[in-house]
Amino acid sequence: YRAADIDEIARDSRAFERVAGVGYNGAFEETWEDGARLLPARTAVVMGEFFAVAGVPPLLGQALTPNHDRPGSDKVVVLSHAAWQRLFGGASDIVGRVLVFRTQAYRVAGVMPADFEYPRGVEIWTTPMALAAGEAVEAYRRGLLRDVELLAGTGDAAFEMQFGAFAIEEDPPDLEAGAAFGRHYGMRY
């Protein structure tokens, strides 16, 4: 799906309560900075509704929200419990700390519970808009969203997906900057 397709599904469907996208590459190794310390961490790009779709509240602070998908939004990250322990020793003052990625400052918004890890191995989550607002890499811009998890509010969701209310293209289109293409990931009822 392109990011615009995900927005359209969220806006137009009466069946889905929430829709979120997960970056095409899952969790990938990136280096963040905490002052002079370099922090190699598996990073995932997700849409702001990701944690709400997953139904998992943060252990500390706040999760990403749809506001973080808007141009000009704050650059924030959410840490996995494992990253919070491994990289910061479980510091109680982690929320609000500033990390740097490719010269751009990101505020730690929250920490997720120990039993939440998607995509596998993730340590830091952020949004495509946060990355695009910084020094965006063409690979991010062309392949931001692969998996879409749809949370159904009524039985109409199965009907819409089964009968193609939202078409899934077999071949990737010629992508615009900021667009993405992928496959359907799943639904929860």
Side-chain angles (χ1 to χ4, degrees):
Y1 293 101
R2 294 178 306 119
D5 294 335
I6 295 170
D7 292 339
E8 183 179 346
I9 292 169
R11 183 185 65 245
D12 296 345
S13 177
R14 293 180 309 225
F16 301 121
E17 292 175 8
R18 293 181 172 88
V19 180
V22 177
Y24 179 80
N25 294 317
F28 50 93
E29 191 72 30
E30 289 289 357
T31 300
W32 295 77
E33 299 172 39
D34 178 30
R37 286 189 324 139
L38 297 180
L39 309 172
R42 306 261 315 147
T43 304
V45 179
V46 299
M47 292 181 78
E49 283 278 24
F50 174 73
F51 295 107
V53 168
V56 180
L59 177 68
L60 296 174
Q62 68 175 19
L64 300 172
T65 70
N67 289 335
H68 296 116
D69 288 332
R70 295 193 175 102
S73 63
D74 292 340
K75 294 183 199 86
V76 298
V77 298
V78 174
L79 302 177
S80 70
H81 190 274
W84 177 48
Q85 296 298 313
R86 179 177 75 83
L87 300 172
F88 303 101
S92 60
D93 62 349
I94 192 65
V95 173
R97 184 176 291 194
V98 175
L99 304 180
V100 175
F101 177 68
R102 298 191 177 156
T103 73
Q104 299 294 311
Y106 293 75
R107 182 181 53 80
V108 175
V111 175
M112 296 308 289
D115 61 351
F116 184 74
E117 180 187 291
Y118 185 83
R120 182 183 304 269
V122 67
E123 295 178 294
I124 296 177
W125 292 272
T126 193
T127 65
M129 195 55 64
L131 288 177
E135 184 182 322
V137 173
E138 186 64 22
Y140 294 156
R141 293 175 29 191
R142 292 184 60 86
L144 291 175
L145 307 173
R146 176 187 67 189
D147 299 337
V148 178
E149 184 165 342
L150 304 168
L151 178 60
T154 70
D156 293 339
F159 176 85
E160 288 185 15
M161 290 308 294
Q162 181 178 355
F163 293 101
F166 305 113
I168 299 174
E169 298 177 37
E170 293 300 322
D171 296 314
D174 185 18
L175 299 176
E176 307 164 10
F181 177 80
R183 64 176 171 77
H184 171 255
Y185 175 70
M187 290 187 293
R188 296 186 339 166
Y189 298 93

